[in-house]
Amino acid sequence: MKHATQSLLIRGGRVIDPLARMDAVMDVLLRDGQVAEIAPPNKIRAGAEEKIDAQGLIVAPGFIDLHVHLREPGQGYKETIASGTAAAAVGGFTSVCCMPNTTPVLDSPEWVTWVRQPQRGAVVNVFPIAAATQASKGAVLTDFRALQRTGAVAVTDDGKPVLSETTMRDALRASAEINFPVIQHAEDTRITQNCSMNEGPTSFRLGLRGMNVNSEAAIVDRDVQLAQQFNGARLHIAHLSTAASLTAVRRGKKNRARVTCEVTPHHLALTDADVRDYDTNFKMNPPLRSAEDREALLAAIADGTVDAVATDHAPHAQHEKIIEFERAAFGITGLETALGLVISVLSADHRLPLTRIVELFTSGPARVLDLRGRGTLLRGSHADVTIFDPKKRWTFDASKSRSKSHNTPFDGRQLTGKVVATIVGGKIIYRAV
Amino acid sequence: MSTSRPQSEKRSVARGSLLGIEDLPVSEINKLLLLARKMNPAKARPLLRGKRVLLLFYEASTRTRTSFEVAAQALGAETSLVISSGSSIEKGESLLDTAYTLRAVGADAIVVRHLNAGAPHLMASYLDIPVINAGDGMHEHPTQALLDAYTILKHKKKLTGLQVTILGDIYHSRVARSEIHLLSKAGAKLTLCGPPELLPEMATTLVKGLRISRSCEEAVRGADVVMILRVQRERLAGLKVSLPDYVSRYQMTMARLRMAKPDALLMHPGPIIRGLELTWDVADCPQSVIVEEVHNGVPLRMAVLARALGKAA
Ligand SMILES: [Zn+2]
C-alpha cells in the first residue's frame, strides 16, 4: 500500500496490546507502514508528519475479522470488495478474511489472485480464504499448496460443510503437511434440510422447522477427533454456536490438537427467542440459539476457549430477505456493529476486561490464521491500528451503513463502544465525525 | 385508495387483520364468537356491499376456501380467487408484489393460505388493508380454531374448565397450534396425545398447563371434547413410524371414544381419512360434529370478515 503520510504519531492513548502484555498510556509512532516506536507520553523524539490525539481512547492493534463475505467475484449486487472493506473500516477492522462462496467459487489460485488485485478497491487488508474442495462440492480437494502460495490464508467450504469424513480426513492430512488451516462450517446438512432457525420452543411456536444443536456439535466432535489423528493439522471451527460444540473443542485443546474456534457478536447478543414476527434479519446460519447456549458461549469467552470474535458478515439484497422467512437467505451484516455489540454484552453486562475483548479482535484471530506481524503493536509490526472509545454510547443506523446491504437485526440498537479511527499501513482510512 | 404511497415500506398491521390466535386477546375472541352467532348465511345481509375480498391461495384447499367465499358473498362482498398455479406467482413473482398487485386492483381485504409459516405476517407488515390468515405452513389456522370454539359452545355452556384432548400429528399442524392457544386462553384443560415424532415434548412450552400423554386411552378418559387431527401417510413414512403401529396405538375407535364422557364431542378439522386416524363408525357416530364444524365455518368467517372491514356492528 502506498502512503501519502509517511509518519503518524498517536498520542496519549491507552495502548492495549494483549500479545505484548501491554496496557498503559503510551505514544505510538507509525512510520513507513510499520510500528516504529512505542513509548510513554512525550518520550518519542522523532518528529511525525501527522498526529492524532488519543487521550481517553483505547489504541489497539488493528482488528482482524476471520469471517467475512465480500461477495466478489460474481455477487456484486450484495456487496463488493470495495463496499465491504469500507464497512470493515467503519467497524475498526484493518484486516478481513473473505469467504469463498462466491460466483464462481474461489477454488483456484487465479481467483485468489483476482481478489487481491488493487483494482478491487479494498481499503483494508483482504486475506482470501479459498474453497477446500472444487466448487465446494465436497468431493475433490483443491490444490492447498498452490492456493497457499498465491495468498490464501486457509481453506473452507463455508455454507456447504465438508460432510464426507474421508474428504475431511484428507483435508486435515494436507493441512498438517503444509501448515494450512482448514475452517469448518460445522453443520450436518442432512438433518437441517428445510430448517430456518434453531430447534426449540420458539421454532415450535412459530411453526418453523428447527435445527437441532447436534447438527453442529456432531460435526465439530468428528472433526476434532480427525484433527487429533494428524500431528500438526489445523482445524478452525467457524461461528461456533452451541454448548455441545464447546465440549468437543475443549477436549481437542486439552489433547493438544491444533483446534481453534470463533464466535459471532450476534450469537453473544441474541437468542432464538428474539426471532419475532418472522423478521428475516434474525435468520442466519448457524441460527440464534437458546439462552443456555448463549451463556455457554459467554463462559467460553471468559475462560479462553474461544480464540476470536468473527462477524460472519453476510450481506444480502432486499429481494433475498424481504420474503417468506423459510425462503429467505441466511445471514446478516455485522462489520459495523461488532465492537459495539461485544463491548455492550461482554464489558457492560458481563464485566469482561477490555484486554480480553481486544485479544478476541486482534492477537486471537491473528494466531488462528498465522497472520504474521498483525494483531499486535510490537515494534516492526504492520502499522494497522484501531482507536476506539469503549464508553461511547451510540445508536446504530443501518441506513447509513457503508455496506451495500442493510440486513441487520441491530438497526436502531443502542450500543456502547465505538471506533474513532482506523489506520491501515500507517494511513488513516476512517475517522469518526 | 391512494396509489402514491411508496411500496416496500414496513408499516404496522392494519386493523381487522387476523394473523393468529396467539396474539389475539380473549376479549377479541369472545367478540368474534358473539358476532358469529348473529350471522346467518341463509339470510343475506349486505354489510359488505361494494367491498372486494381477495382470496390468495398458495395451497390447495376445499373447505376453507369455499367457506370464506360463501361467507364473503353472504355479506354482499365481491370475491376473487387467486391460486398460485396459472398466475404470475408461477412466473416467480414475490409474495409482496402479488399482494401489492391485489391491493392495486382494489382489494379491501386479503385472505391468504400459504405453505410458509409467517407469510400472512409478511404481507400484513407491508399492506394497508387487513390480512386474514387462512392457514400458514405449520404455524396457525386461526379461523379453524375459532369455528371449533363456536361449535363447542353450541353444545357446552362454556369453554372454561372443559377437558379437551387433541390427538394426532400436533407437530406439523397449524390447526393444533391455533386450537391450543384459543382453548388455553379460554381456560380449557388440554391434553395432547400422539407419538413423540408427531408430538415432541417441546409442545408443552407452547402454553402453560399443557399435558402430554402417549396413551390414547389415558388421554381420552373423562374428556368433554375429543379432537382428532389428520395424519399424513407420507409424514409417517418420513419419520419411520409404521402405519399399522400408529393405527393400533392412536386411531380413534368407538371403544376408545367410550372412555370419554358420555356427552363428549368428537371433532376433526378435516379432511378426514377414515381408517387412519379414526374409524368409519367414529366419523359418523352421534357424538361426531365433524359436519357441523364445516357448517359453522361460514358464520364464523362472516364475523371475521365483518370485523376486518370495520362492519362489526
Ligand atoms: Zn458459515
Side-chain angles (χ1 to χ4, degrees), chain A residues 113-128:
Chain A
T113 305
W114 185 89
V115 165
R116 300 181 68 215
Q117 279 164 351
Q119 303 93 288
R120 303 289 88 78
V123 295
V124 308
N125 307 301
V126 172
F127 295 101

Side-chain angles (χ1 to χ4, degrees), chain A residues 67 158-159 185 239 285 312:
Chain A
H67 198 133
D158 187 45
H185 162 127
H239 42 55
N285 191 5
D312 193 6

Side-chain angles (χ1 to χ4, degrees), chain B residues 103-282:
Chain B
R103 174 74 182 90
V105 299
D108 295 297
I110 298 180
V111 175
V112 60
R113 156 76 56 101
H114 202 284
L115 63 169
N116 290 132
H121 307 66
L122 175 67
M123 289 174 63
S125 316
Y126 286 85
L127 282 180
D128 58 348
I129 53 172
V131 174
I132 294 159
N133 181 0
D136 63 324
M138 296 169 11
H139 178 228
E140 281 220 43
H141 191 351
T143 55
Q144 180 70 43
L146 285 163
L147 74 88
D148 281 340
Y150 179 83
T151 304
I152 295 171
L153 285 171
K154 289 242 160 181
H155 299 269
K156 311 280 177 192
K157 274 195 221 66
K158 51 183 198 230
L159 299 170
T160 315
L162 281 188
Q163 294 257 16
V164 181
T165 299
I166 306 178
L167 285 111
D169 185 354
I170 312 277
Y171 174 69
H172 297 99
S173 172
R174 53 186 168 223
V175 174
R177 286 174 181 77
S178 287
E179 303 276 8
I180 291 167
H181 283 303
L182 194 155
L183 292 166
S184 163
K185 280 177 198 232
K189 287 183 226 148
L190 284 165
T191 301
L192 309 180
C193 181
E197 293 84 354
L198 301 177
L199 173 58
E201 285 294 328
M202 206 165 17
T204 56
T205 59
L206 198 59
V207 298
K208 282 205 181 75
L210 272 184
R211 201 170 72 88
I212 280 188
S213 170
R214 304 294 179 197
S215 151
C216 186
E217 289 78 6
E218 182 199 63
V220 169
R221 193 165 295 127
D224 296 293
V225 175
V226 176
M227 194 177 284
I228 316 291
L229 297 179
R230 187 160 64 108
V231 172
Q232 285 173 270
R233 251 185 209 103
E234 55 280 15
R235 282 209 168 117
L236 289 181
L239 295 163
K240 299 180 186 75
V241 178
S242 91
L243 188 62
D245 194 44
Y246 184 88
V247 166
S248 81
R249 294 190 60 187
Y250 297 102
Q251 185 187 62
M252 190 50 53
T253 61
M254 283 314 294
R256 282 174 174 152
L257 187 57
R258 272 185 218 108
M259 305 179 97
K261 290 214 179 108
D263 61 347
L265 299 180
L266 187 278
M267 307 183 81
H268 192 307
I272 64 171
I273 303 170
R274 293 174 195 247
L276 208 171
E277 68 266 13
L278 77 179
T279 58
W280 186 281
D281 46 348
V282 165

Side-chain angles (χ1 to χ4, degrees), chain A residues 65-72 75 77-80 83-84 87 97-99 101 158-159 185 239 264-267 280-286 310-318 320-321 328-337 401 403-410:
Chain A
D65 193 339
L66 295 176
H67 198 133
V68 171
H69 297 270
L70 293 180
R71 303 301 190 201
E72 281 191 306
Q75 298 162 13
Y77 67 96
K78 296 174 193 258
E79 192 80 285
T80 61
S83 65
C97 305
C98 62
M99 287 290 151
N101 59 337
D158 187 45
H185 162 127
H239 42 55
T264 72
H266 51 268
H267 286 109
T280 57
N281 285 328
F282 290 81
K283 180 179 176 180
M284 71 290 287
N285 191 5
T311 63
D312 193 6
H313 175 80
H316 289 293
Q318 284 162 304
E320 297 162 314
K321 275 300 209 182
F330 288 101
I332 61 169
T333 60
L335 287 164
E336 289 157 279
T337 45
S401 169
S403 169
K404 259 194 158 180
S405 298
H406 298 160
N407 50 310
T408 166
F410 301 115

Side-chain angles (χ1 to χ4, degrees), chain A residues 199-210 277-279 318 321-327, chain B residues 10 22 95-96 114 116-119 121-122 126 138-139 171-172 177 200 202-203 205-206 235:
Chain A
E199 182 181 80
T202 306
S203 70
F204 188 86
R205 189 168 57 76
L206 294 175
L208 295 169
R209 284 166 202 278
D277 304 326
Y278 302 94
D279 184 341
Q318 284 162 304
K321 275 300 209 182
I322 307 180
I323 54 174
E324 297 87 331
F325 193 91
E326 289 167 276
R327 297 182 56 218
Chain B
K10 222 168 171 173
E22 189 186 359
L95 178 64
L96 280 186
H114 202 284
N116 290 132
H121 307 66
L122 175 67
Y126 286 85
M138 296 169 11
H139 178 228
Y171 174 69
H172 297 99
R177 286 174 181 77
M202 206 165 17
T205 59
L206 198 59
R235 282 209 168 117

Side-chain angles (χ1 to χ4, degrees), chain A residues 100-180:
Chain A
N101 59 337
T102 48
T103 315
V105 170
L106 210 72
D107 62 359
S108 67
E110 290 72 25
W111 280 114
V112 169
T113 305
W114 185 89
V115 165
R116 300 181 68 215
Q117 279 164 351
Q119 303 93 288
R120 303 289 88 78
V123 295
V124 308
N125 307 301
V126 172
F127 295 101
I129 294 170
T133 65
Q134 286 176 25
S136 282
K137 290 208 158 102
V140 185
L141 289 188
T142 50
D143 186 345
F144 289 10
R145 216 178 277 274
L147 292 165
Q148 189 182 38
R149 227 178 278 132
T150 38
V153 290
V155 285
T156 186
D157 281 351
D158 187 45
K160 287 182 183 168
V162 179
L163 286 183
S164 150
E165 188 170 329
T166 322
T167 307
M168 198 58 188
R169 180 179 283 120
D170 291 347
L172 288 166
R173 184 184 292 116
S175 160
E177 280 167 15
I178 63 168
N179 188 28
F180 199 38

